[in-house]
Amino acid sequence: MEDDAMMIFPLAQTIAQPPDAAASTGLFYLFAILAGASALGVVLSRNIVRTAVFLLFTLAGVAGLYFLLDAEFLAAVQLVVYAGGTLVLIIFGVMLTSKSPGIRYEPKIVEVAVAIGVSVVVAAALVMAIVRQFPAEPASIERHPTIAELGQVLLGDYLIPFELISVLLLVVMIGAAYLAKARRRGGK
Amino acid sequence: MNTLPVAIGLPYVPDWGQLRAFAPELWLIAAIVAVLLTPFFVKKPNAACGWVALVGLLAALVSVFVVGVDGTGEHFRGLMVADPVSVFWKGLLLMFVIGIVLMWFSTTAPTMHQGDGPEFFTLLLGATLGMSLMASTSNLLMLVIAVELASLPSYVLAGFRKTHLAGAEASLKYILFGAATSSIMVYGLSMLYGLYGTLQIDGPGGLAQQIATSGGSALLWMAIFSLIVGLGFKISAVPFHFWCPDVFEGASIEVSAFLSVASKGAGLVLLMRVMMSFASAQAYESTPLLNHLAVLLGVLGAITATVGNTAAFVQRNIKRLLAYSSIAHAGYMLCIVSLLVRGPAVKADLDLASTAAQVVLFYLAVYLFMNLGAFTVAGLIERETGTERIADYAGMGRRSPLMAFCLSACLFSLVGLPPFAGFVAKVNVFWALMQNGSWWWWLVGVIGVNTVLSLYYYVRVIKVMYLDDSSSAPIWPHPLGAGVAVVCAAILVFMLIAFGPINRLAGHYSHFYGVDQTTFTAEFSSSQPPP
């Protein structure tokens, strides 16, 4: 089965090779710092367009981490859907809704306090849980390309959710079309 | 099925034996497609789509009765379950949505812009599909899809009246709240998957069993909290209830009625299934995890009921009043979901899961007709007089005796007063909580006090209708809507008279698949309080 997959996806050949440990550690730090630092940038920057650009780098960094974890499908989706699609949507949204794209927003002290409180609680719970629950040694996972298997699973075990999502998308598309139509009619 | 298979298998084609149990859902999907195709064949699609939707819903309802609980168990490789609780809920839901479509014909149909009908019924049927799926899954992935399928069309339905400013605001609030809570829920569910490596809640090796053997942890609590946040939003439990009054006021009346029963009921059935899976895997023993969870749900229910009732006091708009009343009723039902730990006084053979399911299903059955009736009357009066203010109901006892009587019947039933089925529904709640004893007596006390409080604001409406005088002209409601209201009032009386059989029916259908059924004996059903 792996041979089949590699004939279909030549890229899988390179992924299947266990990477050099030092290089992958270096890359991990690179991507982690990229994701973490730009996440800080998202929070600290007050210009909304800059925030969006920082978000782009955060998402790209996370995608890099996925690549290192051999989740190449997830990484590709992360890049295509989030870094590509959603972010462009956000920037369009900002440009279309705010009066000037350089708008700055000033959070109130209370909002900052609440946000810090919630983040500290969530971070503490996560750190505590990770320290307590996960073993220090990473589990050894057999490396193999996942895309072909994902396709199998989507049309196998998870066929029903796959089909239901198509119904969901149909219904939601109708809803979105209705709302868009409403705006045009209101403009007349 | 939880690990990715390595060998290439054939694509999975479910056979008819698997699909048969989900015939209602298939009919709903067929109805969605039919509604979308209708405008190609008729000039004025609104009413035609209403009829197509009605036929689809009737077919789905008939298929519920035809298939019944045949083929109980896991379907589609464990992704969905067909069990008595889900069948009973589907029956209720489909009956209710048929009522909603009839209500639409008699209230909103004339004012709806011609050509908007296909969209409206697509969204309504889509949300119904999601809500019926919510009741029949114990798989985290399906759970998320079902909740989204129920939520996303509801957001658009809430803002369906384009020219209505309050409706647009309500819709926006609903979307923002919903997006936040469902992202929190999905985050929590991803933690559950990370912790236990399975998406399955029940069954061997499922989440419930693994939690029972491994006990609680900080991460598990975060995951459970976020699940309660997501479902609490659907149920409108108190910290997440802010959308409810605004949406009910801003949406057109049949949408408000739809959300008040269908959304809450689906959320409750789903929450109950998950919690009861956890509880039965630990045999209802008072482990720290279950104890805390029970207290959490009980407190949430008590607060929800109290906040709903006290906020209803100051409402001047009938839709806002009914919104807060629905929050209060959600609180009563949440209290029942807190029956996770066997109390000290309780008989050893009492199966808590099916007791809770029986009480909630019966309550939902009654609640459905109370709310459908009350909302229908409010919609009819709004259509004739254009007002939703309670003060404008003055003299309704003379202007439209039938409507005033039906509304009074529904409101008395909502309080829980004897001539109507709301009484036995509430007695059932008290009985179940008292059976368990211990601190559940506190919940009995809270619900009791809340019932007395609620008397005031429900009866105030009746007082305005009968005692306040008004020189306004009599009104003649749409006959179809009047028929729906009268049928609802009649059923409320009937359900009190036929309490025994209906309660036994609910008891018969009170079994969750995969949740341990130690007992369901004739003795249990005969230990009910007499009607």
Side-chain angles (χ1 to χ4, degrees), chain B residues 381 390-401 404 461-475:
Chain B
I381 292 176
I390 294 168
D392 293 337
Y393 282 31
M396 203 54 77
R398 177 185 52 78
R399 291 159 66 194
S400 177
V461 179
I462 299 172
K463 182 214 138 213
V464 169
M465 288 196 299
Y466 283 102
L467 299 184
D468 289 9
D469 220 10
S470 154
S471 53
S472 310
I475 56 173

PDB file of all heavy atoms in Angstrom, chain B residues 381 390-401 404 461-475:
ATOM      1  N   ILE B 381     -52.313  36.960  17.404  1.00  0.00           N
ATOM      2  CA  ILE B 381     -52.692  38.297  17.897  1.00  0.00           C
ATOM      3  C   ILE B 381     -51.798  39.348  17.249  1.00  0.00           C
ATOM      4  O   ILE B 381     -52.259  40.426  16.860  1.00  0.00           O
ATOM      5  CB  ILE B 381     -52.611  38.346  19.439  1.00  0.00           C
ATOM      6  CG1 ILE B 381     -53.704  37.462  20.029  1.00  0.00           C
ATOM      7  CG2 ILE B 381     -52.751  39.775  19.936  1.00  0.00           C
ATOM      8  CD1 ILE B 381     -53.675  37.341  21.525  1.00  0.00           C
ATOM      9  N   ILE B 390     -47.699  43.128  26.114  1.00  0.00           N
ATOM     10  CA  ILE B 390     -48.687  42.433  26.941  1.00  0.00           C
ATOM     11  C   ILE B 390     -49.820  43.383  27.295  1.00  0.00           C
ATOM     12  O   ILE B 390     -50.991  42.987  27.362  1.00  0.00           O
ATOM     13  CB  ILE B 390     -48.000  41.875  28.203  1.00  0.00           C
ATOM     14  CG1 ILE B 390     -47.005  40.788  27.805  1.00  0.00           C
ATOM     15  CG2 ILE B 390     -49.019  41.301  29.176  1.00  0.00           C
ATOM     16  CD1 ILE B 390     -46.083  40.372  28.905  1.00  0.00           C
ATOM     17  N   ALA B 391     -49.492  44.691  27.492  1.00  0.00           N
ATOM     18  CA  ALA B 391     -50.531  45.656  27.871  1.00  0.00           C
ATOM     19  C   ALA B 391     -51.624  45.725  26.804  1.00  0.00           C
ATOM     20  O   ALA B 391     -52.794  45.983  27.109  1.00  0.00           O
ATOM     21  CB  ALA B 391     -49.905  47.031  28.084  1.00  0.00           C
ATOM     22  N   ASP B 392     -51.247  45.481  25.531  1.00  0.00           N
ATOM     23  CA  ASP B 392     -52.237  45.562  24.451  1.00  0.00           C
ATOM     24  C   ASP B 392     -53.140  44.331  24.390  1.00  0.00           C
ATOM     25  O   ASP B 392     -54.024  44.260  23.535  1.00  0.00           O
ATOM     26  CB  ASP B 392     -51.524  45.728  23.106  1.00  0.00           C
ATOM     27  CG  ASP B 392     -50.834  47.075  23.027  1.00  0.00           C
ATOM     28  OD1 ASP B 392     -51.257  47.978  23.765  1.00  0.00           O
ATOM     29  OD2 ASP B 392     -49.880  47.215  22.256  1.00  0.00           O
ATOM     30  N   TYR B 393     -52.905  43.362  25.282  1.00  0.00           N
ATOM     31  CA  TYR B 393     -53.776  42.194  25.322  1.00  0.00           C
ATOM     32  C   TYR B 393     -55.041  42.476  26.132  1.00  0.00           C
ATOM     33  O   TYR B 393     -55.851  41.583  26.339  1.00  0.00           O
ATOM     34  CB  TYR B 393     -53.050  40.991  25.935  1.00  0.00           C
ATOM     35  CG  TYR B 393     -52.100  40.303  24.977  1.00  0.00           C
ATOM     36  CD1 TYR B 393     -51.444  41.011  23.987  1.00  0.00           C
ATOM     37  CD2 TYR B 393     -51.869  38.942  25.057  1.00  0.00           C
ATOM     38  CE1 TYR B 393     -50.583  40.400  23.118  1.00  0.00           C
ATOM     39  CE2 TYR B 393     -51.000  38.320  24.179  1.00  0.00           C
ATOM     40  CZ  TYR B 393     -50.364  39.049  23.218  1.00  0.00           C
ATOM     41  OH  TYR B 393     -49.509  38.435  22.348  1.00  0.00           O
ATOM     42  N   ALA B 394     -55.168  43.730  26.600  1.00  0.00           N
ATOM     43  CA  ALA B 394     -56.300  44.090  27.453  1.00  0.00           C
ATOM     44  C   ALA B 394     -57.615  43.754  26.750  1.00  0.00           C
ATOM     45  O   ALA B 394     -57.782  43.995  25.561  1.00  0.00           O
ATOM     46  CB  ALA B 394     -56.247  45.573  27.787  1.00  0.00           C
ATOM     47  N   GLY B 395     -58.516  43.170  27.519  1.00  0.00           N
ATOM     48  CA  GLY B 395     -59.842  42.873  26.996  1.00  0.00           C
ATOM     49  C   GLY B 395     -59.871  41.724  26.021  1.00  0.00           C
ATOM     50  O   GLY B 395     -60.873  41.514  25.341  1.00  0.00           O
ATOM     51  N   MET B 396     -58.784  40.961  25.935  1.00  0.00           N
ATOM     52  CA  MET B 396     -58.751  39.870  24.959  1.00  0.00           C
ATOM     53  C   MET B 396     -59.803  38.821  25.275  1.00  0.00           C
ATOM     54  O   MET B 396     -60.315  38.146  24.382  1.00  0.00           O
ATOM     55  CB  MET B 396     -57.356  39.229  24.956  1.00  0.00           C
ATOM     56  CG  MET B 396     -56.993  38.505  23.688  1.00  0.00           C
ATOM     57  SD  MET B 396     -57.177  39.505  22.212  1.00  0.00           S
ATOM     58  CE  MET B 396     -55.727  40.535  22.293  1.00  0.00           C
ATOM     59  N   GLY B 397     -60.155  38.698  26.558  1.00  0.00           N
ATOM     60  CA  GLY B 397     -61.186  37.739  26.952  1.00  0.00           C
ATOM     61  C   GLY B 397     -62.504  38.016  26.259  1.00  0.00           C
ATOM     62  O   GLY B 397     -63.301  37.108  26.016  1.00  0.00           O
ATOM     63  N   ARG B 398     -62.748  39.282  25.916  1.00  0.00           N
ATOM     64  CA  ARG B 398     -63.975  39.643  25.222  1.00  0.00           C
ATOM     65  C   ARG B 398     -63.736  39.739  23.714  1.00  0.00           C
ATOM     66  O   ARG B 398     -64.580  39.298  22.912  1.00  0.00           O
ATOM     67  CB  ARG B 398     -64.466  41.016  25.744  1.00  0.00           C
ATOM     68  CG  ARG B 398     -65.709  41.567  25.052  1.00  0.00           C
ATOM     69  CD  ARG B 398     -66.023  42.961  25.544  1.00  0.00           C
ATOM     70  NE  ARG B 398     -64.865  43.857  25.449  1.00  0.00           N
ATOM     71  CZ  ARG B 398     -64.455  44.426  24.304  1.00  0.00           C
ATOM     72  NH1 ARG B 398     -65.080  44.167  23.181  1.00  0.00           N
ATOM     73  NH2 ARG B 398     -63.394  45.224  24.299  1.00  0.00           N
ATOM     74  N   ARG B 399     -62.533  40.254  23.340  1.00  0.00           N
ATOM     75  CA  ARG B 399     -62.277  40.485  21.923  1.00  0.00           C
ATOM     76  C   ARG B 399     -62.105  39.177  21.164  1.00  0.00           C
ATOM     77  O   ARG B 399     -62.444  39.073  19.990  1.00  0.00           O
ATOM     78  CB  ARG B 399     -61.019  41.347  21.742  1.00  0.00           C
ATOM     79  CG  ARG B 399     -61.224  42.771  22.221  1.00  0.00           C
ATOM     80  CD  ARG B 399     -59.904  43.434  22.519  1.00  0.00           C
ATOM     81  NE  ARG B 399     -59.098  43.629  21.314  1.00  0.00           N
ATOM     82  CZ  ARG B 399     -57.805  43.948  21.346  1.00  0.00           C
ATOM     83  NH1 ARG B 399     -57.193  44.052  22.519  1.00  0.00           N
ATOM     84  NH2 ARG B 399     -57.149  44.114  20.233  1.00  0.00           N
ATOM     85  N   SER B 400     -61.503  38.188  21.816  1.00  0.00           N
ATOM     86  CA  SER B 400     -61.349  36.891  21.159  1.00  0.00           C
ATOM     87  C   SER B 400     -61.312  35.820  22.242  1.00  0.00           C
ATOM     88  O   SER B 400     -60.244  35.411  22.684  1.00  0.00           O
ATOM     89  CB  SER B 400     -60.070  36.868  20.339  1.00  0.00           C
ATOM     90  OG  SER B 400     -59.902  35.601  19.781  1.00  0.00           O
ATOM     91  N   PRO B 401     -62.489  35.411  22.719  1.00  0.00           N
ATOM     92  CA  PRO B 401     -62.548  34.494  23.864  1.00  0.00           C
ATOM     93  C   PRO B 401     -61.756  33.213  23.639  1.00  0.00           C
ATOM     94  O   PRO B 401     -61.078  32.724  24.553  1.00  0.00           O
ATOM     95  CB  PRO B 401     -64.041  34.177  23.992  1.00  0.00           C
ATOM     96  CG  PRO B 401     -64.753  35.204  23.190  1.00  0.00           C
ATOM     97  CD  PRO B 401     -63.809  35.723  22.167  1.00  0.00           C
ATOM     98  N   ALA B 404     -57.980  33.883  24.002  1.00  0.00           N
ATOM     99  CA  ALA B 404     -57.664  34.156  25.408  1.00  0.00           C
ATOM    100  C   ALA B 404     -57.701  32.867  26.204  1.00  0.00           C
ATOM    101  O   ALA B 404     -56.838  32.623  27.056  1.00  0.00           O
ATOM    102  CB  ALA B 404     -58.664  35.168  25.975  1.00  0.00           C
ATOM    103  N   VAL B 461     -50.411  38.027  32.739  1.00  0.00           N
ATOM    104  CA  VAL B 461     -50.897  38.081  31.352  1.00  0.00           C
ATOM    105  C   VAL B 461     -52.387  37.739  31.314  1.00  0.00           C
ATOM    106  O   VAL B 461     -53.187  38.405  30.643  1.00  0.00           O
ATOM    107  CB  VAL B 461     -50.106  37.093  30.466  1.00  0.00           C
ATOM    108  CG1 VAL B 461     -50.628  37.122  29.041  1.00  0.00           C
ATOM    109  CG2 VAL B 461     -48.631  37.409  30.496  1.00  0.00           C
ATOM    110  N   ILE B 462     -52.756  36.696  32.064  1.00  0.00           N
ATOM    111  CA  ILE B 462     -54.166  36.276  32.081  1.00  0.00           C
ATOM    112  C   ILE B 462     -55.034  37.375  32.680  1.00  0.00           C
ATOM    113  O   ILE B 462     -56.126  37.669  32.193  1.00  0.00           O
ATOM    114  CB  ILE B 462     -54.294  34.957  32.875  1.00  0.00           C
ATOM    115  CG1 ILE B 462     -53.455  33.884  32.188  1.00  0.00           C
ATOM    116  CG2 ILE B 462     -55.746  34.531  32.990  1.00  0.00           C
ATOM    117  CD1 ILE B 462     -53.347  32.603  32.951  1.00  0.00           C
ATOM    118  N   LYS B 463     -54.502  38.031  33.712  1.00  0.00           N
ATOM    119  CA  LYS B 463     -55.241  39.135  34.338  1.00  0.00           C
ATOM    120  C   LYS B 463     -55.475  40.253  33.319  1.00  0.00           C
ATOM    121  O   LYS B 463     -56.592  40.779  33.205  1.00  0.00           O
ATOM    122  CB  LYS B 463     -54.438  39.668  35.539  1.00  0.00           C
ATOM    123  CG  LYS B 463     -55.124  40.771  36.302  1.00  0.00           C
ATOM    124  CD  LYS B 463     -54.103  41.778  36.841  1.00  0.00           C
ATOM    125  CE  LYS B 463     -54.626  43.181  36.660  1.00  0.00           C
ATOM    126  NZ  LYS B 463     -53.629  44.179  36.403  1.00  0.00           N
ATOM    127  N   VAL B 464     -54.425  40.603  32.574  1.00  0.00           N
ATOM    128  CA  VAL B 464     -54.580  41.657  31.566  1.00  0.00           C
ATOM    129  C   VAL B 464     -55.664  41.264  30.568  1.00  0.00           C
ATOM    130  O   VAL B 464     -56.520  42.072  30.198  1.00  0.00           O
ATOM    131  CB  VAL B 464     -53.243  41.914  30.840  1.00  0.00           C
ATOM    132  CG1 VAL B 464     -53.444  42.796  29.619  1.00  0.00           C
ATOM    133  CG2 VAL B 464     -52.242  42.541  31.775  1.00  0.00           C
ATOM    134  N   MET B 465     -55.673  39.999  30.163  1.00  0.00           N
ATOM    135  CA  MET B 465     -56.618  39.579  29.123  1.00  0.00           C
ATOM    136  C   MET B 465     -58.055  39.614  29.618  1.00  0.00           C
ATOM    137  O   MET B 465     -58.972  39.966  28.874  1.00  0.00           O
ATOM    138  CB  MET B 465     -56.275  38.165  28.651  1.00  0.00           C
ATOM    139  CG  MET B 465     -55.021  38.102  27.816  1.00  0.00           C
ATOM    140  SD  MET B 465     -54.877  36.571  26.903  1.00  0.00           S
ATOM    141  CE  MET B 465     -54.819  35.369  28.206  1.00  0.00           C
ATOM    142  N   TYR B 466     -58.283  39.223  30.871  1.00  0.00           N
ATOM    143  CA  TYR B 466     -59.661  39.065  31.337  1.00  0.00           C
ATOM    144  C   TYR B 466     -60.169  40.243  32.161  1.00  0.00           C
ATOM    145  O   TYR B 466     -61.356  40.560  32.130  1.00  0.00           O
ATOM    146  CB  TYR B 466     -59.806  37.769  32.138  1.00  0.00           C
ATOM    147  CG  TYR B 466     -59.875  36.564  31.240  1.00  0.00           C
ATOM    148  CD1 TYR B 466     -58.777  35.751  31.051  1.00  0.00           C
ATOM    149  CD2 TYR B 466     -61.040  36.269  30.540  1.00  0.00           C
ATOM    150  CE1 TYR B 466     -58.828  34.654  30.203  1.00  0.00           C
ATOM    151  CE2 TYR B 466     -61.110  35.181  29.696  1.00  0.00           C
ATOM    152  CZ  TYR B 466     -60.011  34.380  29.536  1.00  0.00           C
ATOM    153  OH  TYR B 466     -60.071  33.308  28.690  1.00  0.00           O
ATOM    154  N   LEU B 467     -59.291  40.886  32.952  1.00  0.00           N
ATOM    155  CA  LEU B 467     -59.778  41.905  33.884  1.00  0.00           C
ATOM    156  C   LEU B 467     -59.577  43.323  33.370  1.00  0.00           C
ATOM    157  O   LEU B 467     -60.388  44.198  33.649  1.00  0.00           O
ATOM    158  CB  LEU B 467     -59.097  41.736  35.254  1.00  0.00           C
ATOM    159  CG  LEU B 467     -59.364  40.379  35.922  1.00  0.00           C
ATOM    160  CD1 LEU B 467     -58.750  40.326  37.307  1.00  0.00           C
ATOM    161  CD2 LEU B 467     -60.867  40.104  36.012  1.00  0.00           C
ATOM    162  N   ASP B 468     -58.491  43.562  32.628  1.00  0.00           N
ATOM    163  CA  ASP B 468     -58.295  44.918  32.120  1.00  0.00           C
ATOM    164  C   ASP B 468     -59.272  45.167  30.994  1.00  0.00           C
ATOM    165  O   ASP B 468     -59.496  44.304  30.148  1.00  0.00           O
ATOM    166  CB  ASP B 468     -56.854  45.106  31.614  1.00  0.00           C
ATOM    167  CG  ASP B 468     -55.877  45.138  32.770  1.00  0.00           C
ATOM    168  OD1 ASP B 468     -56.323  44.844  33.900  1.00  0.00           O
ATOM    169  OD2 ASP B 468     -54.700  45.426  32.544  1.00  0.00           O
ATOM    170  N   ASP B 469     -59.820  46.381  30.987  1.00  0.00           N
ATOM    171  CA  ASP B 469     -60.831  46.665  29.975  1.00  0.00           C
ATOM    172  C   ASP B 469     -60.201  47.371  28.785  1.00  0.00           C
ATOM    173  O   ASP B 469     -59.179  48.032  28.909  1.00  0.00           O
ATOM    174  CB  ASP B 469     -61.941  47.526  30.580  1.00  0.00           C
ATOM    175  CG  ASP B 469     -63.288  47.051  30.060  1.00  0.00           C
ATOM    176  OD1 ASP B 469     -63.326  45.983  29.431  1.00  0.00           O
ATOM    177  OD2 ASP B 469     -64.285  47.749  30.295  1.00  0.00           O
ATOM    178  N   SER B 470     -60.800  47.170  27.643  1.00  0.00           N
ATOM    179  CA  SER B 470     -60.287  47.832  26.453  1.00  0.00           C
ATOM    180  C   SER B 470     -61.444  48.004  25.491  1.00  0.00           C
ATOM    181  O   SER B 470     -62.360  47.184  25.431  1.00  0.00           O
ATOM    182  CB  SER B 470     -59.190  46.975  25.816  1.00  0.00           C
ATOM    183  OG  SER B 470     -59.134  47.261  24.445  1.00  0.00           O
ATOM    184  N   SER B 471     -61.397  49.102  24.741  1.00  0.00           N
ATOM    185  CA  SER B 471     -62.490  49.361  23.804  1.00  0.00           C
ATOM    186  C   SER B 471     -62.118  48.892  22.401  1.00  0.00           C
ATOM    187  O   SER B 471     -62.838  49.151  21.452  1.00  0.00           O
ATOM    188  CB  SER B 471     -62.803  50.854  23.797  1.00  0.00           C
ATOM    189  OG  SER B 471     -61.620  51.567  23.548  1.00  0.00           O
ATOM    190  N   SER B 472     -60.964  48.196  22.288  1.00  0.00           N
ATOM    191  CA  SER B 472     -60.528  47.770  20.953  1.00  0.00           C
ATOM    192  C   SER B 472     -61.528  46.783  20.354  1.00  0.00           C
ATOM    193  O   SER B 472     -62.269  46.107  21.082  1.00  0.00           O
ATOM    194  CB  SER B 472     -59.162  47.112  21.020  1.00  0.00           C
ATOM    195  OG  SER B 472     -58.287  47.936  21.744  1.00  0.00           O
ATOM    196  N   ALA B 473     -61.495  46.711  19.041  1.00  0.00           N
ATOM    197  CA  ALA B 473     -62.457  45.875  18.328  1.00  0.00           C
ATOM    198  C   ALA B 473     -62.132  44.394  18.547  1.00  0.00           C
ATOM    199  O   ALA B 473     -60.977  44.047  18.814  1.00  0.00           O
ATOM    200  CB  ALA B 473     -62.408  46.195  16.848  1.00  0.00           C
ATOM    201  N   PRO B 474     -63.126  43.524  18.437  1.00  0.00           N
ATOM    202  CA  PRO B 474     -62.861  42.084  18.502  1.00  0.00           C
ATOM    203  C   PRO B 474     -61.957  41.664  17.344  1.00  0.00           C
ATOM    204  O   PRO B 474     -61.929  42.320  16.296  1.00  0.00           O
ATOM    205  CB  PRO B 474     -64.241  41.451  18.349  1.00  0.00           C
ATOM    206  CG  PRO B 474     -65.214  42.527  18.562  1.00  0.00           C
ATOM    207  CD  PRO B 474     -64.540  43.823  18.237  1.00  0.00           C
ATOM    208  N   ILE B 475     -61.221  40.581  17.538  1.00  0.00           N
ATOM    209  CA  ILE B 475     -60.368  40.100  16.448  1.00  0.00           C
ATOM    210  C   ILE B 475     -60.775  38.686  16.071  1.00  0.00           C
ATOM    211  O   ILE B 475     -61.241  37.909  16.903  1.00  0.00           O
ATOM    212  CB  ILE B 475     -58.869  40.148  16.809  1.00  0.00           C
ATOM    213  CG1 ILE B 475     -58.592  39.351  18.088  1.00  0.00           C
ATOM    214  CG2 ILE B 475     -58.385  41.555  16.930  1.00  0.00           C
ATOM    215  CD1 ILE B 475     -57.126  39.237  18.384  1.00  0.00           C
TER     216      ILE B 475
END
